[in-house]
Amino acid sequence: MKKWNVEICDVTLRDGEQTPGVSFSPEEKCRIADLLDEIGVDVIEAGFPIVSHNEAGCVRDLSHMDLDARICCLSRALKADVDCAIGCDVDMISIFIATSDLHMRIKFKKPREEILEQALSMVEYAHDHGIQVRFAAEDASRTDIAFLREMYLKGAEYGADYVSYADTVGCLTPLEMAEIIDTLVVDLPIPLCIHCHDDMGCATANTITAAERGAYQLHTTVNGIGERAGNASLEEVLCALRFKGGVDRYDLSHLLKLSRMVSDASGIPVPKIKSIVGDHAFAHESGIHIAALIEDSSTYEYIHPNLVGGERHYLLGKHTGKKAIAHILQSMGHDLGEEQICWILDQVKAKGEHKCCITHDILLQLIHQAEQEVLA
């Protein structure tokens, strides 16, 4: 397997915090950043410092945490924004401009050549202060690609270390993304970053496609939180990189802990069926599945739960089989006979048909009844 050449920039503390109703405390930001660093995330986007004094203070605090990850922050192509970012002692500034004709007409009301020249002057200004610069195109997916290429090449000339492509409204599919990345990276002298939103459910797929086609810096958020439908999910991207891109330098064992930390801090629960970190990601009810899993977990698990800090669960319900019941009872220390096991199985299926959740207490009651009332 050819190893993909990538790095991760996690934007949970900036784009993730732009999820409606979400605000992280300074202490929460530090804890999240520390765990991102434990995983080995290369760049942490700490915030948008011009927003407020408190925001700037949080970004500055993260810059002083002595993490291995580089600290990045967001900036409009305005001198006040860039000066504020420089004052936060960050390693990288992401200077962005809206590049689609729609955004330029609505937001700037100026010719795009004039907007580009102003932005390039800010790229040069930040570069002259000895800080890495990421020159980012907002709404890139609805921007004329010839203009994007011009922007990126000029950005490199003015001192940008990275250029960035944002699918701001999540309108691309993976095939479209592949074609775009092929066009952009062909003669690009500096690395390309990819920032995907999930409005059509393609953010992770688009990010992984971009990585496979040559994008270098991949933007993610924990649990995929973010504006509207969110962003590419860190846990999904990292697992895809491990299994499809040969990238094994990240410590995935912290993913479940990090997911729960961000869920608690953001107030946004993780769906039970969320890949990698959902409660049911490694849960099994089907009797056929469990019988095979008992023999070899790879039959129905592509990712081993231990890899991401999780564990396998066998759930009981209408689809449960006798082998699963026997295995669960044995693991609980109950050595029951064939007739008792079959009776418990019948009770479990009957309750499952009526949408009854088979809790630990209910199962113990059934075991007690079987031991008292059913002959072995």
Side-chain angles (χ1 to χ4, degrees):
M1 177 189 296
K2 181 181 178 181
K3 184 177 290 189
W4 297 349
N5 181 32
V6 296
E7 69 177 13
I8 295 291
C9 174
D10 189 81
V11 300
T12 302
L13 301 181
R14 197 276 302 170
D15 208 333
E17 197 181 35
Q18 289 176 209
T19 306
V22 172
S23 179
F24 299 125
S25 70
E27 295 76 18
E28 287 168 338
K29 284 196 172 189
C30 289
R31 287 198 297 271
I32 292 167
D34 191 57
L35 200 46
L36 287 168
D37 196 52
E38 286 288 318
I39 289 170
V41 165
D42 306 275
V43 181
I44 297 172
E45 191 165 297
F48 196 172
I50 198 67
V51 166
S52 69
H53 291 299
N54 286 338
E55 179 80 352
C58 283
V59 173
R60 191 178 302 110
D61 288 345
L62 289 169
S63 297
H64 295 162
M65 282 181 66
D66 196 29
L67 302 176
D68 291 330
R70 288 169 286 153
I71 301 300
C72 174
C73 71
L74 196 65
S75 169
R76 295 169 297 179
L78 300 174
K79 188 174 182 296
D81 281 38
V82 176
D83 283 338
C84 184
I86 292 170
C88 292
D89 299 327
V90 293
D91 302 295
M92 177 187 297
I93 299 176
S94 182
I95 297 174
F96 75 95
I97 58 170
T99 54
S100 68
D101 288 341
L102 171 64
H103 274 236
M104 286 190 174
R105 175 169 52 84
I106 298 298
K107 295 163 73 171
F108 298 129
K109 299 177 174 61
K110 295 178 181 178
R112 64 186 185 186
E113 292 76 18
E114 182 179 341
I115 297 164
L116 178 58
E117 286 304 315
Q118 176 186 337
L120 289 169
S121 70
M122 289 298 98
V123 169
E124 186 174 45
Y125 179 71
H127 172 76
D128 288 346
H129 281 77
I131 298 176
Q132 282 194 322
V133 180
R134 185 174 71 208
F135 192 25
E138 183 188 14
D139 204 25
S141 47
R142 294 189 293 180
T143 298
D144 174 59
I145 201 160
F147 176 66
L148 274 181
R149 284 174 52 80
E150 176 190 358
M151 170 185 167
Y152 290 163
L153 293 173
K154 284 189 175 180
E157 291 176 10
Y158 277 72
D161 300 279
Y162 295 79
V163 288
S164 187
Y165 182 100
D167 183 15
T168 300
V169 295
C171 63
L172 296 181
T173 65
L175 289 177
E176 291 172 319
M177 180 64 77
E179 184 177 354
I180 289 165
I181 300 301
D182 286 347
T183 302
L184 291 176
V185 301
V186 63
D187 59 356
L188 195 59
I190 55 178
L192 177 67
C193 312
I194 190 73
H195 181 102
C196 295
H197 283 263
D198 205 36
D199 298 71
M200 294 204 304
C202 294
T204 295
N206 284 339
T207 300
I208 293 304
T209 299
E212 191 273 334
R213 307 302 278 205
Y216 177 65
Q217 188 182 91
L218 314 179
H219 294 189
T220 63
T221 61
V222 179
N223 299 334
I225 65 172
E227 298 170 335
R228 303 182 312 280
N231 294 60
S233 162
L234 172 69
E235 53 276 8
E236 294 169 6
V237 170
L238 287 183
C239 284
L241 290 177
R242 171 70 65 92
F243 290 100
K244 300 300 181 182
V247 180
D248 58 4
R249 70 178 184 272
Y250 299 106
D251 184 352
L252 308 186
S253 67
H254 301 291
L255 287 178
L256 188 61
K257 179 181 178 181
L258 177 61
S259 169
R260 290 175 176 170
M261 181 185 293
V262 170
S263 179
D264 289 343
S266 66
I268 298 177
V270 177
K272 288 186 176 182
I273 58 170
K274 171 74 168 66
S275 57
I276 317 299
V277 294
D279 286 348
H280 287 179
F282 303 104
H284 308 273
E285 180 185 318
S286 167
I288 295 172
H289 289 200
I290 293 174
L293 282 160
I294 291 170
E295 298 294 325
D296 187 336
S297 64
S298 65
T299 51
Y300 287 99
E301 287 176 348
Y302 184 62
I303 299 169
H304 197 284
N306 288 348
L307 180 69
V308 297
E311 58 183 25
R312 183 180 305 114
H313 300 283
Y314 295 137
L315 305 181
L316 300 179
K318 62 181 285 187
H319 302 101
T320 300
K322 186 172 73 173
K323 199 165 186 177
I325 289 287
H327 178 81
I328 291 170
L329 294 178
Q330 189 175 41
S331 70
M332 294 172 65
H334 296 275
D335 186 17
L336 302 185
E338 179 82 6
E339 189 175 347
Q340 293 169 314
I341 291 171
C342 289
W343 182 84
I344 291 174
L345 176 61
D346 288 341
Q347 300 305 306
V348 166
K349 284 182 175 289
K351 291 179 182 294
E353 289 280 2
H354 293 89
K355 299 185 180 180
C356 174
C357 178
I358 310 299
T359 64
H360 182 73
D361 288 342
I362 289 175
L363 182 57
L364 286 177
Q365 291 175 11
L366 293 176
I367 293 170
H368 179 72
Q369 284 182 261
E371 289 174 334
Q372 298 297 316
E373 303 173 16
V374 182
L375 295 175

